[in-house]
Amino acid sequence: GAVVSQHPSWVICKSGTSVKIECRSLDFQATTMFWYRQFPKQSLMLMATSNEGSKATYEQGVEKDKFLINHASLTLSTLTVTSAHPEDSSFYICSAPSGASTDTQYFGPGTRLTVL
Amino acid sequence: GQQVMQIPQYQHVQEGEDFTTYCNSSTTLSNIQWYKQRPGGHPVFLIQLVKSGEVKKQKRLTFQFGEAKKNSSLHITATQTTDVGTYFCCRWVFSGGYNKLIFGAGTRLAVHP
């Protein structure tokens, strides 16, 4: 099946710093990628839709200035958590469809962010 | 809202027992997808159901889509410890010009040997 990678797999940072998370589709192109956040023992909550060549679409309640998304190419989307605070500590997961937008979603392995 | 309701939130079974999780929506669904997330892992696609009344099987897993396309279920026969994880039903929502995959709350399955 299609492979999506994420880097880094985990990161620990100090409060106030920015963290960049990369999501790559390794063997297919993705004009759209999705970013989710998952708190412990909770479901995945969609944060934003990353669109190659245009601005990301953010879900209600997600601060676009805090969670910067850049879809630099057909295989790469990045999420930057700016001025991170402890409440931003979470598991961030990206996904991409291998074909049509409602096809199977392939998820990256996730990035565990801990903000001290 | 957009999210599908999923029950139970948590199920604890003995190995060999059966397990079922249910998904319900107040609106008709065009399709529904099921994913499994192992502890510490990421969601992995299991299946997509599209047709009214559809039933699909994958070894010990049986997936059903209701006749009215408002509910779905996942049944595991004779659970094994490898079945441990959280099972999510998900729906596609078209909003803001894009299709978005929205996750249900999930059912966390614990299997004791």
Side-chain angles (χ1 to χ4, degrees):
Chain A
V3 178
V4 174
S5 71
Q6 261 183 263
H7 178 80
S9 55
W10 60 270
V11 57
I12 300 173
C13 69
K14 290 183 179 179
S15 188
T17 60
S18 294
V19 175
K20 180 187 280 189
I21 302 170
E22 293 186 349
C23 177
R24 293 181 186 272
S25 55
L26 297 186
D27 49 0
F28 65 101
Q29 294 182 331
T31 54
T32 301
M33 290 183 175
F34 300 93
W35 286 97
Y36 292 85
R37 179 167 54 182
Q38 184 178 34
F39 292 108
K41 298 186 180 180
Q42 292 189 21
S43 185
L44 280 76
M45 298 303 295
L46 181 64
M47 298 176 67
T49 303
S50 175
N51 310 297
E52 192 272 335
S54 63
K55 290 182 180 179
T57 307
Y58 291 83
E59 294 303 299
Q60 195 169 12
V62 178
E63 300 174 57
K64 60 181 67 175
D65 294 331
K66 179 168 183 63
F67 299 100
L68 302 179
I69 291 173
N70 182 30
H71 202 128
S73 72
L74 288 172
T75 59
L76 172 65
S77 174
T78 60
L79 168 68
T80 301
V81 183
T82 62
S83 186
H85 288 95
E87 57 265 31
D88 298 323
S89 299
S90 187
F91 193 47
Y92 292 86
I93 310 177
C94 68
S95 73
S98 62
S101 62
T102 55
D103 274 356
T104 302
Q105 288 290 309
Y106 293 95
F107 286 82
T111 297
R112 190 161 301 283
L113 170 64
T114 302
V115 184
L116 302 177
Chain B
Q2 299 175 333
Q3 190 180 49
V4 287
M5 302 303 295
Q6 198 171 345
I7 56 170
Q9 284 190 329
Y10 179 72
Q11 185 84 54
H12 170 180
V13 300
Q14 288 294 126
E15 190 172 21
E17 292 182 339
D18 292 356
F19 159 76
T20 305
T21 173
Y22 300 90
C23 210
N24 294 290
S25 170
S26 58
T27 57
T28 303
L29 303 166
S30 57
N31 64 44
I32 197 157
Q33 294 186 346
W34 286 90
Y35 290 79
K36 176 184 178 181
Q37 183 179 26
R38 292 181 185 274
H42 60 278
V44 174
F45 175 79
L46 293 177
I47 211 156
Q48 175 168 279
L49 303 172
V50 178
K51 299 177 183 176
S52 167
E54 190 169 18
V55 177
K56 287 188 176 180
K57 292 191 175 185
Q58 290 179 353
K59 297 183 180 178
R60 294 178 295 104
L61 276 62
T62 301
F63 302 85
Q64 287 190 306
F65 202 8
E67 293 288 343
K69 299 182 74 173
K70 288 186 176 181
N71 56 73
S72 181
S73 65
L74 158 59
H75 180 81
I76 302 179
T77 304
T79 54
Q80 299 175 359
T81 54
T82 53
D83 296 324
V84 165
T86 302
Y87 293 84
F88 294 99
C89 62
C90 306
R91 66 175 298 183
W92 283 101
V93 173
F94 186 77
S95 172
Y98 297 95
N99 284 308
K100 306 170 185 180
L101 187 65
I102 305 299
F103 278 70
T107 296
R108 199 151 49 96
L109 173 64
V111 179
H112 289 263

